[in-house]
Amino acid sequence: MDLSSNGADPMSEQLLRDIEILADLFKAGGWTELRVESDAISLLLSQDRAAPSLDGAQPASVPVAAPPLAGAQSQIMTDAPGAQASAGPIDPAWTAVKAPNLGTFYRAPKPGSPPFVEVGQRVEAHSELCLIEVMKLFTSVKAGIAGTVRHVAVADADLVEGGQPLFYIACD
């Protein structure tokens, strides 16, 4: 399939971005195989180079370039204040706030905005700490407990897995 970006391209920019996101999630998720089929597309991602293709054809290497906007947005997000994970030891008494699902971790509501919370900030159980994005669907992560944010375990715009610790909070 031709993935070039000429005017007659049957694949939209959005579909190319969605395939790129699926490929990133596939690599980060540790899966051995992922199949996606619809009326418009059939996609097979496999760690097994000998895996049969969906139509019996031999596997081909197809380069998919990242859209410039995605790279620019990632750069903005990583250069924002507080974009990096905090350093230092983790106290076993602190409570971990974990990712509800696989996706991209964002500390701020949009690029260039200040983070939802900073280390040392007091939060309530209903306080929003971050967003996890997968396939343009954003999940808000709440603290779940009242306390003080003591550690940010993930850098902004990093891919996280479900159940991975994102923040550590010292309970009141």
Side-chain angles (χ1 to χ4, degrees):
M1 179 179 284
D2 179 26
L3 296 179
S4 62
S5 59
N6 62 24
D9 186 5
M11 295 180 70
S12 71
E13 292 279 327
Q14 181 64 47
L15 181 57
L16 287 174
R17 276 187 241 120
D18 290 348
I19 291 171
E20 181 182 12
I21 290 168
L22 279 172
D24 290 343
L25 292 172
F26 176 76
K27 284 190 277 186
W31 300 326
T32 55
E33 185 172 286
L34 172 68
R35 290 176 186 261
V36 177
E37 295 187 42
S38 72
D39 293 336
I41 189 169
S42 294
L43 176 69
L44 170 65
L45 301 175
S46 178
Q47 295 289 350
D48 182 8
R49 295 192 185 276
S53 66
L54 294 172
D55 64 357
Q58 293 298 317
S61 175
V62 181
V64 177
L69 181 59
Q73 183 178 19
S74 293
Q75 187 63 35
I76 290 168
M77 294 295 287
T78 8
D79 290 345
Q84 299 302 316
S86 54
I90 297 169
D91 187 325
W94 296 343
T95 301
V97 177
K98 297 180 179 181
N101 55 284
L102 181 84
T104 304
F105 170 83
Y106 293 112
R107 289 192 59 196
K110 63 183 181 179
S113 294
F116 288 106
V117 296
E118 293 286 358
V119 171
Q121 183 176 336
R122 174 136 180 25
V123 294
E124 298 298 326
H126 63 277
S127 298
E128 188 171 21
L129 301 179
C130 66
L131 296 172
I132 303 292
E133 182 259 336
V134 63
M135 302 291 294
K136 306 297 179 206
L137 175 66
F138 289 85
T139 303
S140 173
V141 178
K142 308 276 189 219
I145 58 167
T148 304
V149 176
R150 293 295 180 203
H151 184 79
V152 180
V154 181
D156 199 39
D158 276 359
L159 191 62
V160 296
E161 294 189 26
Q164 178 178 342
L166 304 173
F167 296 89
Y168 287 90
I169 298 176
C171 299
D172 289 344

